[in-house]
Amino acid sequence: MKEGNKMKNRQTQLIIDMKAMINNYNKIQKCQPDKKILPVLKAGGYGIGLEAISEFIKQEKLDIVATAIVDEGIVLRDELNFDGKIVVLNQPSMEEIENIVQYNLTSSCCYIEFLQKLDEEACKQGKKAKVHLEIETGMGRTGVQIQNLEHFVQKAIKLKNIEIEGIFTHFATSDSDLNYTKEQIDIFNKAVEYIKTKIKTIKYVHCGNSAAIIRIKDLPGNMIRPRNNTIWIFAG
């Protein structure tokens, strides 16, 4: 890279083997053959860059991906022209709602106030906003608490410009403590069962992170979420 009259050279290079990435992706699918993969392409693929991500999406003909934040979703739309579904897994802020609707991003949600504001903005832009409800099962981060779920759902189903198409949770210890993970699964299953009695638009149910995909063969739901670094370096 030139800076003024100086040339800067780096002694390290990141070399992407696309065939290896595709092979890894296929190995992940074999771990859970009955489930759709939702690849989590956060942080620019942990440094592999947009070009490699674009090629990966093209070769696998992906119609749905996930990001950590709204800005990453916007990059996929603007710079990669990706027209499939983009699920933002981290609960966005209120300030990001306009962009979520404008760029047709599918937002995670665990706060009813956020969902109500999203409904208002979707109505304003003449759209329906799609969301995935996050359930708190023991991660201790974000998500609708099971004891608050009925109240949340009762309010959510009144919002005319919201389509709840997904339900998910995060595992805290699937790489180390499977007993705790199974406790989380029990809570999640109860939440999913209740939500499906009230909401008929659910298409995706997912809880399988990278470790759980490999270690648990009877994961609930119809979708799994390997992180991008798992796809790049997986050795199953």
Side-chain angles (χ1 to χ4, degrees), residues 155-200:
K155 287 184 173 291
I157 58 179
K158 296 177 182 178
L159 303 175
K160 303 301 183 185
N161 296 90
I162 297 294
E163 180 181 331
I164 299 173
E165 69 164 20
I167 314 168
F168 74 104
T169 194
H170 290 289
F171 290 143
T173 63
S174 58
D175 58 342
S176 59
D177 186 350
L178 287 183
N179 287 330
Y180 187 73
T181 301
K182 289 175 182 177
E183 291 176 13
Q184 287 191 259
I185 288 174
D186 288 342
I187 296 171
F188 185 60
N189 281 336
K190 290 175 184 176
V192 171
E193 183 180 0
Y194 170 74
I195 291 169
K196 284 188 171 182
T197 66
K198 303 297 181 182
I199 300 172
K200 306 304 180 183

mmCIF file of all heavy atoms in Angstrom, residues 155-200:
data_model
loop_
_atom_site.group_PDB
_atom_site.id
_atom_site.type_symbol
_atom_site.label_atom_id
_atom_site.label_comp_id
_atom_site.label_asym_id
_atom_site.label_seq_id
_atom_site.Cartn_x
_atom_site.Cartn_y
_atom_site.Cartn_z
ATOM 1 N N LYS A 155 -48.731 -9.035 23.506
ATOM 2 C CA LYS A 155 -48.539 -7.700 22.933
ATOM 3 C C LYS A 155 -48.038 -7.774 21.495
ATOM 4 O O LYS A 155 -48.451 -6.994 20.632
ATOM 5 C CB LYS A 155 -47.563 -6.894 23.800
ATOM 6 C CG LYS A 155 -48.148 -6.417 25.127
ATOM 7 C CD LYS A 155 -47.162 -5.554 25.878
ATOM 8 C CE LYS A 155 -47.805 -4.938 27.114
ATOM 9 N NZ LYS A 155 -48.820 -3.925 26.767
ATOM 10 N N ALA A 156 -47.151 -8.725 21.226
ATOM 11 C CA ALA A 156 -46.529 -8.825 19.905
ATOM 12 C C ALA A 156 -47.537 -9.165 18.815
ATOM 13 O O ALA A 156 -47.456 -8.643 17.696
ATOM 14 C CB ALA A 156 -45.408 -9.863 19.936
ATOM 15 N N ILE A 157 -48.488 -10.030 19.113
ATOM 16 C CA ILE A 157 -49.423 -10.480 18.071
ATOM 17 C C ILE A 157 -50.412 -9.383 17.665
ATOM 18 O O ILE A 157 -51.113 -9.522 16.666
ATOM 19 C CB ILE A 157 -50.189 -11.741 18.517
ATOM 20 C CG1 ILE A 157 -50.964 -11.502 19.805
ATOM 21 C CG2 ILE A 157 -49.227 -12.911 18.666
ATOM 22 C CD1 ILE A 157 -51.761 -12.709 20.286
ATOM 23 N N LYS A 158 -50.439 -8.283 18.389
ATOM 24 C CA LYS A 158 -51.312 -7.159 18.039
ATOM 25 C C LYS A 158 -50.667 -6.223 17.022
ATOM 26 O O LYS A 158 -51.338 -5.335 16.489
ATOM 27 C CB LYS A 158 -51.676 -6.377 19.295
ATOM 28 C CG LYS A 158 -52.504 -7.173 20.304
ATOM 29 C CD LYS A 158 -52.773 -6.357 21.550
ATOM 30 C CE LYS A 158 -53.567 -7.159 22.585
ATOM 31 N NZ LYS A 158 -53.786 -6.383 23.834
ATOM 32 N N LEU A 159 -49.378 -6.408 16.750
ATOM 33 C CA LEU A 159 -48.647 -5.506 15.859
ATOM 34 C C LEU A 159 -48.833 -5.951 14.411
ATOM 35 O O LEU A 159 -48.388 -7.031 14.022
ATOM 36 C CB LEU A 159 -47.167 -5.485 16.244
ATOM 37 C CG LEU A 159 -46.889 -5.088 17.705
ATOM 38 C CD1 LEU A 159 -45.400 -5.212 18.024
ATOM 39 C CD2 LEU A 159 -47.394 -3.677 17.993
ATOM 40 N N LYS A 160 -49.477 -5.124 13.602
ATOM 41 C CA LYS A 160 -49.912 -5.506 12.260
ATOM 42 C C LYS A 160 -48.790 -5.506 11.235
ATOM 43 O O LYS A 160 -48.920 -6.132 10.174
ATOM 44 C CB LYS A 160 -51.032 -4.569 11.791
ATOM 45 C CG LYS A 160 -52.246 -4.524 12.720
ATOM 46 C CD LYS A 160 -52.868 -5.894 12.896
ATOM 47 C CE LYS A 160 -54.113 -5.817 13.773
ATOM 48 N NZ LYS A 160 -54.672 -7.181 14.041
ATOM 49 N N ASN A 161 -47.705 -4.780 11.498
ATOM 50 C CA ASN A 161 -46.628 -4.682 10.517
ATOM 51 C C ASN A 161 -45.398 -5.499 10.915
ATOM 52 O O ASN A 161 -44.296 -5.256 10.428
ATOM 53 C CB ASN A 161 -46.237 -3.213 10.305
ATOM 54 C CG ASN A 161 -47.370 -2.415 9.712
ATOM 55 O OD1 ASN A 161 -48.187 -1.841 10.429
ATOM 56 N ND2 ASN A 161 -47.460 -2.389 8.388
ATOM 57 N N ILE A 162 -45.608 -6.446 11.797
ATOM 58 C CA ILE A 162 -44.544 -7.334 12.255
ATOM 59 C C ILE A 162 -44.885 -8.779 11.886
ATOM 60 O O ILE A 162 -46.002 -9.235 12.110
ATOM 61 C CB ILE A 162 -44.356 -7.246 13.791
ATOM 62 C CG1 ILE A 162 -43.916 -5.840 14.204
ATOM 63 C CG2 ILE A 162 -43.373 -8.292 14.277
ATOM 64 C CD1 ILE A 162 -42.541 -5.439 13.718
ATOM 65 N N GLU A 163 -43.912 -9.466 11.289
ATOM 66 C CA GLU A 163 -44.062 -10.898 11.029
ATOM 67 C C GLU A 163 -42.991 -11.646 11.830
ATOM 68 O O GLU A 163 -41.792 -11.522 11.547
ATOM 69 C CB GLU A 163 -43.904 -11.221 9.552
ATOM 70 C CG GLU A 163 -44.064 -12.715 9.258
ATOM 71 C CD GLU A 163 -43.882 -13.066 7.796
ATOM 72 O OE1 GLU A 163 -44.173 -12.213 6.940
ATOM 73 O OE2 GLU A 163 -43.443 -14.197 7.519
ATOM 74 N N ILE A 164 -43.418 -12.383 12.831
ATOM 75 C CA ILE A 164 -42.486 -13.167 13.635
ATOM 76 C C ILE A 164 -42.271 -14.495 12.928
ATOM 77 O O ILE A 164 -43.148 -15.345 12.892
ATOM 78 C CB ILE A 164 -43.027 -13.373 15.059
ATOM 79 C CG1 ILE A 164 -43.203 -12.012 15.738
ATOM 80 C CG2 ILE A 164 -42.072 -14.252 15.866
ATOM 81 C CD1 ILE A 164 -43.886 -12.067 17.088
ATOM 82 N N GLU A 165 -41.089 -14.657 12.326
ATOM 83 C CA GLU A 165 -40.836 -15.848 11.511
ATOM 84 C C GLU A 165 -39.807 -16.787 12.134
ATOM 85 O O GLU A 165 -39.559 -17.869 11.589
ATOM 86 C CB GLU A 165 -40.382 -15.451 10.103
ATOM 87 C CG GLU A 165 -39.009 -14.824 10.035
ATOM 88 C CD GLU A 165 -38.454 -14.800 8.611
ATOM 89 O OE1 GLU A 165 -39.241 -14.909 7.658
ATOM 90 O OE2 GLU A 165 -37.224 -14.677 8.480
ATOM 91 N N GLY A 166 -39.210 -16.387 13.257
ATOM 92 C CA GLY A 166 -38.192 -17.238 13.852
ATOM 93 C C GLY A 166 -38.177 -17.172 15.368
ATOM 94 O O GLY A 166 -38.647 -16.202 15.967
ATOM 95 N N ILE A 167 -37.647 -18.226 15.977
ATOM 96 C CA ILE A 167 -37.443 -18.300 17.427
ATOM 97 C C ILE A 167 -36.057 -18.888 17.644
ATOM 98 O O ILE A 167 -35.681 -19.864 16.987
ATOM 99 C CB ILE A 167 -38.472 -19.220 18.120
ATOM 100 C CG1 ILE A 167 -39.898 -18.948 17.623
ATOM 101 C CG2 ILE A 167 -38.392 -19.074 19.638
ATOM 102 C CD1 ILE A 167 -40.895 -20.023 18.050
ATOM 103 N N PHE A 168 -35.282 -18.299 18.562
ATOM 104 C CA PHE A 168 -33.945 -18.846 18.788
ATOM 105 C C PHE A 168 -33.476 -18.572 20.207
ATOM 106 O O PHE A 168 -34.078 -17.796 20.950
ATOM 107 C CB PHE A 168 -32.944 -18.264 17.781
ATOM 108 C CG PHE A 168 -32.537 -16.833 18.036
ATOM 109 C CD1 PHE A 168 -31.293 -16.534 18.585
ATOM 110 C CD2 PHE A 168 -33.382 -15.774 17.719
ATOM 111 C CE1 PHE A 168 -30.909 -15.218 18.807
ATOM 112 C CE2 PHE A 168 -33.002 -14.457 17.933
ATOM 113 C CZ PHE A 168 -31.768 -14.179 18.478
ATOM 114 N N THR A 169 -32.404 -19.265 20.568
ATOM 115 C CA THR A 169 -31.742 -19.018 21.844
ATOM 116 C C THR A 169 -30.251 -19.251 21.666
ATOM 117 O O THR A 169 -29.805 -19.779 20.640
ATOM 118 C CB THR A 169 -32.310 -19.919 22.958
ATOM 119 O OG1 THR A 169 -31.877 -19.422 24.233
ATOM 120 C CG2 THR A 169 -31.846 -21.363 22.811
ATOM 121 N N HIS A 170 -29.479 -18.828 22.667
ATOM 122 C CA HIS A 170 -28.025 -19.026 22.664
ATOM 123 C C HIS A 170 -27.639 -19.994 23.777
ATOM 124 O O HIS A 170 -28.126 -19.876 24.901
ATOM 125 C CB HIS A 170 -27.300 -17.690 22.893
ATOM 126 C CG HIS A 170 -27.383 -16.737 21.753
ATOM 127 N ND1 HIS A 170 -26.717 -16.935 20.562
ATOM 128 C CD2 HIS A 170 -28.041 -15.568 21.614
ATOM 129 C CE1 HIS A 170 -26.973 -15.927 19.746
ATOM 130 N NE2 HIS A 170 -27.769 -15.087 20.356
ATOM 131 N N PHE A 171 -26.749 -20.924 23.463
ATOM 132 C CA PHE A 171 -26.232 -21.827 24.478
ATOM 133 C C PHE A 171 -25.010 -21.212 25.157
ATOM 134 O O PHE A 171 -24.163 -20.609 24.497
ATOM 135 C CB PHE A 171 -25.835 -23.175 23.863
ATOM 136 C CG PHE A 171 -27.005 -23.996 23.409
ATOM 137 C CD1 PHE A 171 -26.933 -24.769 22.260
ATOM 138 C CD2 PHE A 171 -28.195 -24.016 24.126
ATOM 139 C CE1 PHE A 171 -28.001 -25.537 21.836
ATOM 140 C CE2 PHE A 171 -29.281 -24.779 23.707
ATOM 141 C CZ PHE A 171 -29.175 -25.537 22.559
ATOM 142 N N ALA A 172 -24.919 -21.429 26.465
ATOM 143 C CA ALA A 172 -23.821 -20.849 27.239
ATOM 144 C C ALA A 172 -22.619 -21.771 27.354
ATOM 145 O O ALA A 172 -21.475 -21.310 27.392
ATOM 146 C CB ALA A 172 -24.321 -20.481 28.640
ATOM 147 N N THR A 173 -22.868 -23.098 27.405
ATOM 148 C CA THR A 173 -21.779 -24.029 27.725
ATOM 149 C C THR A 173 -21.781 -25.276 26.855
ATOM 150 O O THR A 173 -21.382 -26.349 27.301
ATOM 151 C CB THR A 173 -21.886 -24.470 29.205
ATOM 152 O OG1 THR A 173 -23.130 -25.176 29.390
ATOM 153 C CG2 THR A 173 -21.821 -23.291 30.152
ATOM 154 N N SER A 174 -22.222 -25.148 25.615
ATOM 155 C CA SER A 174 -22.338 -26.339 24.772
ATOM 156 C C SER A 174 -20.981 -26.947 24.428
ATOM 157 O O SER A 174 -20.911 -28.088 23.962
ATOM 158 C CB SER A 174 -23.101 -26.010 23.484
ATOM 159 O OG SER A 174 -22.460 -24.972 22.778
ATOM 160 N N ASP A 175 -19.914 -26.213 24.662
ATOM 161 C CA ASP A 175 -18.577 -26.751 24.423
ATOM 162 C C ASP A 175 -17.985 -27.423 25.655
ATOM 163 O O ASP A 175 -16.932 -28.057 25.573
ATOM 164 C CB ASP A 175 -17.633 -25.648 23.943
ATOM 165 C CG ASP A 175 -17.521 -24.500 24.937
ATOM 166 O OD1 ASP A 175 -18.402 -24.391 25.818
ATOM 167 O OD2 ASP A 175 -16.560 -23.713 24.839
ATOM 168 N N SER A 176 -18.665 -27.295 26.823
ATOM 169 C CA SER A 176 -18.059 -27.806 28.052
ATOM 170 C C SER A 176 -19.019 -28.514 29.005
ATOM 171 O O SER A 176 -18.622 -29.428 29.718
ATOM 172 C CB SER A 176 -17.384 -26.649 28.812
ATOM 173 O OG SER A 176 -18.337 -25.630 29.121
ATOM 174 N N ASP A 177 -20.273 -28.092 29.064
ATOM 175 C CA ASP A 177 -21.224 -28.632 30.043
ATOM 176 C C ASP A 177 -22.541 -28.963 29.346
ATOM 177 O O ASP A 177 -23.446 -28.126 29.266
ATOM 178 C CB ASP A 177 -21.444 -27.610 31.163
ATOM 179 C CG ASP A 177 -22.317 -28.150 32.291
ATOM 180 O OD1 ASP A 177 -22.911 -29.237 32.119
ATOM 181 O OD2 ASP A 177 -22.426 -27.477 33.329
ATOM 182 N N LEU A 178 -22.647 -30.189 28.855
ATOM 183 C CA LEU A 178 -23.835 -30.567 28.099
ATOM 184 C C LEU A 178 -25.062 -30.729 28.990
ATOM 185 O O LEU A 178 -26.189 -30.590 28.516
ATOM 186 C CB LEU A 178 -23.579 -31.860 27.326
ATOM 187 C CG LEU A 178 -22.654 -31.744 26.113
ATOM 188 C CD1 LEU A 178 -22.535 -33.074 25.403
ATOM 189 C CD2 LEU A 178 -23.131 -30.658 25.149
ATOM 190 N N ASN A 179 -24.875 -31.017 30.269
ATOM 191 C CA ASN A 179 -26.025 -31.103 31.173
ATOM 192 C C ASN A 179 -26.731 -29.758 31.279
ATOM 193 O O ASN A 179 -27.965 -29.687 31.252
ATOM 194 C CB ASN A 179 -25.583 -31.584 32.561
ATOM 195 C CG ASN A 179 -25.232 -33.060 32.577
ATOM 196 O OD1 ASN A 179 -25.789 -33.841 31.806
ATOM 197 N ND2 ASN A 179 -24.296 -33.447 33.431
ATOM 198 N N TYR A 180 -25.946 -28.689 31.385
ATOM 199 C CA TYR A 180 -26.539 -27.347 31.430
ATOM 200 C C TYR A 180 -27.206 -27.018 30.098
ATOM 201 O O TYR A 180 -28.282 -26.420 30.060
ATOM 202 C CB TYR A 180 -25.467 -26.305 31.757
ATOM 203 C CG TYR A 180 -26.022 -24.919 31.988
ATOM 204 C CD1 TYR A 180 -26.722 -24.612 33.143
ATOM 205 C CD2 TYR A 180 -25.865 -23.918 31.034
ATOM 206 C CE1 TYR A 180 -27.237 -23.339 33.360
ATOM 207 C CE2 TYR A 180 -26.378 -22.651 31.238
ATOM 208 C CZ TYR A 180 -27.057 -22.372 32.395
ATOM 209 O OH TYR A 180 -27.583 -21.117 32.606
ATOM 210 N N THR A 181 -26.572 -27.431 29.015
ATOM 211 C CA THR A 181 -27.146 -27.197 27.687
ATOM 212 C C THR A 181 -28.495 -27.894 27.555
ATOM 213 O O THR A 181 -29.445 -27.327 26.991
ATOM 214 C CB THR A 181 -26.186 -27.684 26.592
ATOM 215 O OG1 THR A 181 -24.944 -27.002 26.715
ATOM 216 C CG2 THR A 181 -26.768 -27.434 25.206
ATOM 217 N N LYS A 182 -28.600 -29.107 28.077
ATOM 218 C CA LYS A 182 -29.864 -29.837 28.007
ATOM 219 C C LYS A 182 -30.953 -29.156 28.835
ATOM 220 O O LYS A 182 -32.138 -29.170 28.468
ATOM 221 C CB LYS A 182 -29.653 -31.279 28.455
ATOM 222 C CG LYS A 182 -28.863 -32.093 27.440
ATOM 223 C CD LYS A 182 -28.533 -33.498 27.933
ATOM 224 C CE LYS A 182 -27.700 -34.253 26.897
ATOM 225 N NZ LYS A 182 -27.293 -35.595 27.374
ATOM 226 N N GLU A 183 -30.562 -28.515 29.944
ATOM 227 C CA GLU A 183 -31.516 -27.721 30.718
ATOM 228 C C GLU A 183 -32.010 -26.540 29.885
ATOM 229 O O GLU A 183 -33.202 -26.209 29.894
ATOM 230 C CB GLU A 183 -30.866 -27.224 32.005
ATOM 231 C CG GLU A 183 -30.567 -28.324 33.015
ATOM 232 C CD GLU A 183 -29.838 -27.804 34.237
ATOM 233 O OE1 GLU A 183 -29.781 -26.563 34.416
ATOM 234 O OE2 GLU A 183 -29.328 -28.619 35.018
ATOM 235 N N GLN A 184 -31.094 -25.911 29.147
ATOM 236 C CA GLN A 184 -31.485 -24.809 28.264
ATOM 237 C C GLN A 184 -32.431 -25.299 27.170
ATOM 238 O O GLN A 184 -33.394 -24.613 26.820
ATOM 239 C CB GLN A 184 -30.244 -24.168 27.633
ATOM 240 C CG GLN A 184 -29.418 -23.325 28.598
ATOM 241 C CD GLN A 184 -28.365 -22.510 27.857
ATOM 242 O OE1 GLN A 184 -27.199 -22.875 27.833
ATOM 243 N NE2 GLN A 184 -28.789 -21.424 27.248
ATOM 244 N N ILE A 185 -32.147 -26.464 26.628
ATOM 245 C CA ILE A 185 -32.998 -27.026 25.576
ATOM 246 C C ILE A 185 -34.412 -27.270 26.094
ATOM 247 O O ILE A 185 -35.396 -26.998 25.394
ATOM 248 C CB ILE A 185 -32.381 -28.325 25.021
ATOM 249 C CG1 ILE A 185 -31.143 -27.996 24.176
ATOM 250 C CG2 ILE A 185 -33.395 -29.109 24.189
ATOM 251 C CD1 ILE A 185 -30.367 -29.224 23.705
ATOM 252 N N ASP A 186 -34.534 -27.768 27.310
ATOM 253 C CA ASP A 186 -35.863 -28.009 27.897
ATOM 254 C C ASP A 186 -36.658 -26.711 27.995
ATOM 255 O O ASP A 186 -37.853 -26.672 27.650
ATOM 256 C CB ASP A 186 -35.722 -28.637 29.287
ATOM 257 C CG ASP A 186 -35.267 -30.086 29.233
ATOM 258 O OD1 ASP A 186 -35.389 -30.696 28.158
ATOM 259 O OD2 ASP A 186 -34.782 -30.595 30.265
ATOM 260 N N ILE A 187 -36.004 -25.640 28.454
ATOM 261 C CA ILE A 187 -36.666 -24.328 28.555
ATOM 262 C C ILE A 187 -37.056 -23.837 27.163
ATOM 263 O O ILE A 187 -38.171 -23.348 26.944
ATOM 264 C CB ILE A 187 -35.753 -23.308 29.253
ATOM 265 C CG1 ILE A 187 -35.491 -23.736 30.697
ATOM 266 C CG2 ILE A 187 -36.363 -21.904 29.212
ATOM 267 C CD1 ILE A 187 -34.425 -22.919 31.397
ATOM 268 N N PHE A 188 -36.148 -23.983 26.218
ATOM 269 C CA PHE A 188 -36.392 -23.518 24.853
ATOM 270 C C PHE A 188 -37.560 -24.266 24.222
ATOM 271 O O PHE A 188 -38.435 -23.665 23.594
ATOM 272 C CB PHE A 188 -35.128 -23.707 24.017
ATOM 273 C CG PHE A 188 -35.221 -23.161 22.625
ATOM 274 C CD1 PHE A 188 -35.460 -21.811 22.398
ATOM 275 C CD2 PHE A 188 -35.055 -23.990 21.524
ATOM 276 C CE1 PHE A 188 -35.542 -21.297 21.105
ATOM 277 C CE2 PHE A 188 -35.127 -23.488 20.240
ATOM 278 C CZ PHE A 188 -35.377 -22.142 20.031
ATOM 279 N N ASN A 189 -37.604 -25.569 24.397
ATOM 280 C CA ASN A 189 -38.692 -26.364 23.821
ATOM 281 C C ASN A 189 -40.054 -25.916 24.353
ATOM 282 O O ASN A 189 -41.040 -25.849 23.601
ATOM 283 C CB ASN A 189 -38.479 -27.845 24.115
ATOM 284 C CG ASN A 189 -37.458 -28.481 23.188
ATOM 285 O OD1 ASN A 189 -37.233 -28.006 22.085
ATOM 286 N ND2 ASN A 189 -36.838 -29.561 23.637
ATOM 287 N N LYS A 190 -40.117 -25.617 25.641
ATOM 288 C CA LYS A 190 -41.370 -25.147 26.233
ATOM 289 C C LYS A 190 -41.777 -23.800 25.638
ATOM 290 O O LYS A 190 -42.959 -23.564 25.357
ATOM 291 C CB LYS A 190 -41.224 -25.037 27.752
ATOM 292 C CG LYS A 190 -41.122 -26.378 28.456
ATOM 293 C CD LYS A 190 -40.854 -26.216 29.946
ATOM 294 C CE LYS A 190 -40.653 -27.575 30.613
ATOM 295 N NZ LYS A 190 -40.289 -27.433 32.053
ATOM 296 N N ALA A 191 -40.794 -22.924 25.451
ATOM 297 C CA ALA A 191 -41.078 -21.605 24.863
ATOM 298 C C ALA A 191 -41.575 -21.747 23.431
ATOM 299 O O ALA A 191 -42.562 -21.118 23.032
ATOM 300 C CB ALA A 191 -39.819 -20.739 24.907
ATOM 301 N N VAL A 192 -40.910 -22.577 22.646
ATOM 302 C CA VAL A 192 -41.296 -22.784 21.245
ATOM 303 C C VAL A 192 -42.704 -23.368 21.162
ATOM 304 O O VAL A 192 -43.526 -22.932 20.343
ATOM 305 C CB VAL A 192 -40.287 -23.708 20.526
ATOM 306 C CG1 VAL A 192 -40.803 -24.104 19.145
ATOM 307 C CG2 VAL A 192 -38.939 -23.014 20.407
ATOM 308 N N GLU A 193 -42.984 -24.335 22.003
ATOM 309 C CA GLU A 193 -44.308 -24.959 22.002
ATOM 310 C C GLU A 193 -45.399 -23.931 22.278
ATOM 311 O O GLU A 193 -46.432 -23.902 21.592
ATOM 312 C CB GLU A 193 -44.345 -26.067 23.060
ATOM 313 C CG GLU A 193 -45.662 -26.832 23.101
ATOM 314 C CD GLU A 193 -45.672 -27.926 24.157
ATOM 315 O OE1 GLU A 193 -44.655 -28.104 24.858
ATOM 316 O OE2 GLU A 193 -46.719 -28.602 24.288
ATOM 317 N N TYR A 194 -45.159 -23.055 23.257
ATOM 318 C CA TYR A 194 -46.155 -22.025 23.576
ATOM 319 C C TYR A 194 -46.308 -21.027 22.427
ATOM 320 O O TYR A 194 -47.429 -20.714 22.016
ATOM 321 C CB TYR A 194 -45.774 -21.287 24.861
ATOM 322 C CG TYR A 194 -46.647 -20.075 25.092
ATOM 323 C CD1 TYR A 194 -47.972 -20.222 25.507
ATOM 324 C CD2 TYR A 194 -46.171 -18.791 24.829
ATOM 325 C CE1 TYR A 194 -48.794 -19.117 25.678
ATOM 326 C CE2 TYR A 194 -46.983 -17.684 24.999
ATOM 327 C CZ TYR A 194 -48.298 -17.848 25.421
ATOM 328 O OH TYR A 194 -49.112 -16.755 25.576
ATOM 329 N N ILE A 195 -45.184 -20.529 21.925
ATOM 330 C CA ILE A 195 -45.232 -19.510 20.867
ATOM 331 C C ILE A 195 -45.985 -20.031 19.646
ATOM 332 O O ILE A 195 -46.791 -19.319 19.037
ATOM 333 C CB ILE A 195 -43.804 -19.067 20.484
ATOM 334 C CG1 ILE A 195 -43.169 -18.286 21.643
ATOM 335 C CG2 ILE A 195 -43.823 -18.199 19.222
ATOM 336 C CD1 ILE A 195 -41.685 -18.031 21.469
ATOM 337 N N LYS A 196 -45.757 -21.282 19.290
ATOM 338 C CA LYS A 196 -46.406 -21.843 18.092
ATOM 339 C C LYS A 196 -47.924 -21.990 18.259
ATOM 340 O O LYS A 196 -48.637 -22.063 17.257
ATOM 341 C CB LYS A 196 -45.771 -23.177 17.734
ATOM 342 C CG LYS A 196 -44.410 -23.033 17.056
ATOM 343 C CD LYS A 196 -43.912 -24.377 16.547
ATOM 344 C CE LYS A 196 -42.681 -24.218 15.682
ATOM 345 N NZ LYS A 196 -42.218 -25.521 15.138
ATOM 346 N N THR A 197 -48.392 -22.005 19.496
ATOM 347 C CA THR A 197 -49.847 -22.043 19.685
ATOM 348 C C THR A 197 -50.472 -20.677 19.440
ATOM 349 O O THR A 197 -51.675 -20.579 19.202
ATOM 350 C CB THR A 197 -50.213 -22.510 21.116
ATOM 351 O OG1 THR A 197 -49.770 -21.533 22.072
ATOM 352 C CG2 THR A 197 -49.625 -23.863 21.418
ATOM 353 N N LYS A 198 -49.669 -19.618 19.490
ATOM 354 C CA LYS A 198 -50.173 -18.249 19.359
ATOM 355 C C LYS A 198 -49.779 -17.574 18.048
ATOM 356 O O LYS A 198 -50.469 -16.669 17.583
ATOM 357 C CB LYS A 198 -49.654 -17.394 20.529
ATOM 358 C CG LYS A 198 -50.007 -17.934 21.919
ATOM 359 C CD LYS A 198 -51.503 -17.954 22.144
ATOM 360 C CE LYS A 198 -51.838 -18.465 23.542
ATOM 361 N NZ LYS A 198 -53.299 -18.532 23.776
ATOM 362 N N ILE A 199 -48.669 -18.010 17.475
ATOM 363 C CA ILE A 199 -48.142 -17.364 16.272
ATOM 364 C C ILE A 199 -47.975 -18.414 15.178
ATOM 365 O O ILE A 199 -47.263 -19.406 15.366
ATOM 366 C CB ILE A 199 -46.790 -16.675 16.566
ATOM 367 C CG1 ILE A 199 -46.970 -15.603 17.646
ATOM 368 C CG2 ILE A 199 -46.204 -16.060 15.302
ATOM 369 C CD1 ILE A 199 -45.672 -15.001 18.147
ATOM 370 N N LYS A 200 -48.610 -18.197 14.050
ATOM 371 C CA LYS A 200 -48.645 -19.199 12.982
ATOM 372 C C LYS A 200 -47.666 -18.909 11.848
ATOM 373 O O LYS A 200 -47.705 -19.579 10.814
ATOM 374 C CB LYS A 200 -50.065 -19.309 12.422
ATOM 375 C CG LYS A 200 -51.133 -19.588 13.478
ATOM 376 C CD LYS A 200 -50.834 -20.849 14.283
ATOM 377 C CE LYS A 200 -51.919 -21.105 15.322
ATOM 378 N NZ LYS A 200 -51.604 -22.299 16.161
#
